[in-house]
Amino acid sequence: MKKILAILFTITALSACKVDREPFGSMRSEKITGNPEESIDALLNGVYAQLKAWSDPMHRLGEYAGDNMMIRGSSTDAFYEFISFSRTPNNGRLTTFWDSGYKAIAQASNILNMIPQGKNATLDSKLGECYYVRGMMYFYLVRAFGRPYYQNPETNLGVPIVNGTPEDVKNATFPDRATVKATYEQAIADLKKAEELISANRGPVFASKAAAQAMLSRVYLYMSGTYETPNQTYAQLAVDYATKVINTASTYSLLSRADFMKYNTFTPENNKETIFAIKRVASEFSGFDHYYGVGGMYSNIGGMGWGEMYASAKYISLLNETGRNDWRPDNYKIVDARAAFIEPTYSKNTAGAYTEVFRFIKDDAGNVQNYVQANTTRNGSTITCTEGTDVYTLTAVDATQGIYSINYKDGKTYTGYIDYFITLNRVYPQFYIVKCSKEGENSQLHSPVISRLGEVYLNRAEAYAKLQNYPLALADLNVIRNRSIVNGGYASLDASNAGTRIDKERQLELAYQAERSFDVFRNGKALTRAYPGPQNQTAPVLANDYRVTPQSAINSYPGKLTQNPTQ
C-alpha cells in the first residue's frame, strides 16, 4: 500500500477494503513526513472529524438501551437490537461504533507516533488533545463491549489495545482483547497524559485539560464499585478529579434554571456549562438528511425527523414526582426544568379546539401496560370519562394539578391526568424529546455533549456517597436538584437512600446523553422497563447481561479476536 493514510487508520483489521484514493481529511505520507509538526492542525482536525461518525451509534447504543425512551413499534433498523437486547454480532450500527472508535484511536496514535513530545508547549498541547481522544475512545469502547468494572475486571475481556498503524499493514498482526482492567488502565494513562500536556483551552469543541479531568472523574466513578460494595480508593479519585473541574469556575459554570431549559438551543461555544461536545454544523446535513441526526428519531420539527421514539412513561413519572409538569399551551407550567425538553404533540379537532381527556396507564393481559386517553365530560363539579361504552367518574387526588383517579373495570384503581388529547403514533401518545434538537434554531441540529459541569457535580455526589460522606454528597446533589426544581433539594441523605436519590437525579439530568443504561449496570442494578411500549415490559435486563463484539471485526482482524461469552 503506497498511500499511507497518516490520519485515517483504515486498518484492514476493521475494514478489509483497499484504499484507492485519499479520503477527506487524509494526506499522502510524503506530504507530512518531512515536517509533520507543520501539519498538526490538519491532522488533528481529522481526528475530531472521526468523532462525528462515531457519535451517532454511540448515542443510539447508550440511550436506546436505557429506560428514558420508548419506540412506537419494532423496527428493521439495526438499532432496534439496542432496545430489545437481542444481541447479535452482525449489527451494522454496532460495527460502525467499533470501526469509528478505532479509526479515531489510530489517527490520534499516528500523530503521537510521528511528532515527538517536548518541542514546545503549543505542540505538546495539541498532542495532549490526541491523548484525550484516544483515552476517551478506549473508555467508551470498553464500557460498551466489556462487563462493568466491578465484575472481575482482571479476567473479563475489554477491547484490543492497538495504538497506531503498523509500518507493514498487510503483514501486521494485532493483539487479542485486553482485559477490562488493562483497557481502563490504558484510558486512564491517556487521559492523565492529556491533563498533563494540554495548556491551551480552545473552547468546548476541542479537548481541554478540564475535559480530561471531567472524563477521569467519570472513569474512576465507573471503577468505584457499587453502593453496597464500593471501592473507596477509586471513589476518592473520582472526587479529586471532579473537584479540579468544579474549581475552574472562571471557565465553566452551571447555567441558570431559565437558560438550562434552553440548553439544547445553544451552540457549544456559547454554553458555559459544556466542557466537551462533538461539533455538528447545519452544512453537514442537506434537506431531509436532518432526519438522520440523533434527534430525528425523537421528534419531527419543521417537517424534519421520523418522530418514532418518545419519552418513556417512567421518565415522565420521574419528572412529575415533585409536581405536575403541565405542557398544555394555555396552562404551561414546568416544575422540573428537565421537562422543558419534552414536547407532547397536542392535537386540535376540526373546530380548532383541543379535546380534553383523562390520560392514564392501565394493565393489560400479561402485565403489559398501555395508555388510555378517555374523553371527559363535565357536569357541574362532576367529571366523567368515557372509554368505548364504559363511563367512569373521576375522583380528585389533587384537583389543582389535574390529578384524578378512577375505579376501572378490571377492579384496579388508576391515577392519571386531565390533559389535552396527544396525537397517537400507533397506540402511543407522542411525547417528543427535543434535547437533541433545535441547536441554533436548526430543526434537528445537535452537537452531542460528552461532558458538562452538571454531570461532574453528580459524579462527585455519587463518589462522596460511596465514601460515606453524606453531607458533601447531599450538597452536590442539591446543587443540581435545586436548579431544576425550585426549593426541591433533599433535606437529608444517608446510606438508606443515597443510591436511590443520586441514581434518580442522574437519570433525570443526563437523560438523552447516552449514559443511562451504563449507569444502571455499573452499579449492579437491573434495568426495568415496565411501561407502555413494545420493549419487554416484564423481564428485567441484568447487569451481567452479555455483550457482543461485531462479527465483521472478528472476521477481518489480523490475529485472534475473542468473542464475548454468551452467559
Side-chain angles (χ1 to χ4, degrees), residues 379-402:
N379 186 3
S381 60
T382 300
I383 307 174
T384 60
C385 69
T386 304
E387 183 193 23
T389 59
D390 299 314
V391 180
Y392 304 97
T393 299
L394 276 62
T395 301
V397 176
D398 187 338
T400 60
Q401 295 192 75

Side-chain angles (χ1 to χ4, degrees), residues 288-507:
F288 284 86
D289 286 350
H290 276 289
Y291 269 73
Y292 299 96
V294 167
M297 288 303 298
Y298 294 141
S299 62
N300 181 293
I301 301 172
M304 297 291 176
W306 303 102
E308 296 180 5
M309 295 179 179
Y310 317 121
S312 70
K314 183 177 184 178
Y315 187 70
I316 292 170
S317 179
L318 285 178
L319 289 172
N320 288 331
E321 195 174 68
T322 53
R324 178 189 179 177
N325 296 281
D326 196 339
W327 290 286
R328 289 176 292 180
D330 50 357
N331 293 278
Y332 193 76
K333 180 183 178 182
I334 297 298
V335 175
D336 189 319
R338 280 79 61 116
F341 305 125
I342 309 300
E343 294 185 0
T345 58
Y346 291 115
S347 176
K348 292 183 178 180
N349 58 28
T350 55
Y354 295 110
T355 300
E356 186 180 84
V357 298
F358 178 61
R359 185 173 52 258
F360 63 99
I361 295 172
K362 67 175 181 177
D363 295 331
D364 280 345
N367 295 318
V368 173
Q369 296 185 344
N370 277 306
Y371 282 103
V372 175
Q373 295 191 105
N375 289 1
T376 60
T377 301
R378 294 177 181 264
N379 186 3
S381 60
T382 300
I383 307 174
T384 60
C385 69
T386 304
E387 183 193 23
T389 59
D390 299 314
V391 180
Y392 304 97
T393 299
L394 276 62
T395 301
V397 176
D398 187 338
T400 60
Q401 295 192 75
I403 305 173
Y404 290 80
S405 68
I406 61 170
N407 295 320
Y408 197 60
K409 61 186 177 184
D410 61 3
K412 298 179 181 179
T413 298
Y414 295 116
T415 299
Y417 299 92
I418 288 181
D419 203 349
Y420 294 150
F421 181 82
I422 297 174
T423 305
L424 298 177
N425 196 324
R426 298 190 179 174
V427 296
Y428 304 111
Q430 297 180 144
F431 285 93
Y432 278 173
I433 302 158
V434 297
K435 196 174 184 181
C436 302
S437 308
K438 298 186 175 182
E439 183 180 312
E441 299 182 0
N442 284 283
S443 63
Q444 296 294 359
L445 186 61
H446 172 63
S447 295
V449 176
I450 300 299
S451 293
R452 61 181 176 89
L453 192 57
E455 181 215 343
V456 176
Y457 273 100
L458 292 173
N459 291 351
R460 194 168 71 172
E462 181 179 332
Y464 273 138
K466 289 177 176 176
L467 291 168
Q468 300 180 348
N469 191 333
Y470 297 111
L472 290 182
L474 177 65
D476 280 342
L477 183 64
N478 280 345
V479 165
I480 301 304
R481 190 160 180 84
N482 282 321
R483 176 182 56 181
S484 286
I485 305 168
V486 177
N487 298 320
Y490 293 112
S492 63
L493 201 71
D494 56 42
S496 69
N497 58 29
T500 299
R501 290 180 173 179
I502 292 169
D503 286 354
K504 178 171 62 178
E505 206 62 27
R506 286 187 73 90
Q507 181 172 9

Side-chain angles (χ1 to χ4, degrees), residues 3-11 19 21-27 43 46-47 50 99 102-104 106-108 110 165:
K3 298 180 181 178
I4 301 173
L5 303 181
I7 68 164
L8 176 59
F9 187 18
T10 56
I11 38 182
V19 178
R21 56 192 174 90
E22 295 172 282
F24 174 76
S26 70
M27 298 180 184
L43 296 171
V47 174
Q50 284 300 327
D99 288 0
Y102 271 104
K103 287 177 183 178
Q107 290 186 208
N110 288 343
T165 310

Side-chain angles (χ1 to χ4, degrees), residues 44 120-130 194 197-201:
L44 191 52
N120 59 68
T122 300
L123 202 57
D124 281 355
S125 188
K126 291 176 181 178
L127 294 178
E129 294 182 42
C130 294
L197 292 177
I198 299 176
S199 56
N201 190 328

Side-chain angles (χ1 to χ4, degrees), residues 70-219:
M70 53 84 63
I71 188 171
R72 65 171 189 171
S74 62
S75 174
T76 58
D77 193 295
F79 65 56
Y80 190 70
E81 291 188 2
F82 304 152
I83 301 170
S84 65
F85 282 85
S86 53
R87 311 279 197 179
T88 65
N90 294 310
N91 183 300
R93 290 188 182 271
L94 199 66
T95 297
T96 300
F97 175 73
W98 175 283
D99 288 0
S100 297
Y102 271 104
K103 287 177 183 178
I105 286 172
Q107 290 186 208
S109 297
N110 288 343
I111 296 172
L112 294 171
N113 293 336
M114 283 192 297
I115 301 176
Q117 180 187 329
K119 289 197 170 184
N120 59 68
T122 300
L123 202 57
D124 281 355
S125 188
K126 291 176 181 178
L127 294 178
E129 294 182 42
C130 294
Y131 277 112
Y132 170 83
V133 170
R134 192 170 77 180
M136 179 182 72
M137 287 296 102
Y138 276 123
F139 171 64
Y140 272 82
L141 285 164
V142 73
R143 76 174 188 173
F145 296 106
R147 291 185 184 272
Y149 195 84
Y150 78 92
Q151 298 178 18
N152 303 315
E154 297 86 356
T155 55
N156 284 336
L157 294 176
V159 296
I161 297 173
V162 183
N163 292 333
T165 310
E167 289 291 331
D168 186 355
V169 174
K170 288 184 178 180
N171 297 310
T173 59
F174 297 122
D176 197 359
R177 295 169 65 185
T179 63
V180 167
K181 182 176 185 291
T183 312
Y184 269 79
E185 288 172 347
Q186 173 70 48
I188 289 169
D190 284 341
L191 292 168
K192 285 185 174 180
K193 195 67 174 177
E195 180 193 22
E196 172 194 339
L197 292 177
I198 299 176
S199 56
N201 190 328
R202 301 201 288 152
V205 299
F206 299 96
S208 64
K209 186 183 295 292
Q213 293 165 341
M215 190 59 63
L216 282 163
S217 79
R218 192 195 304 175
V219 172

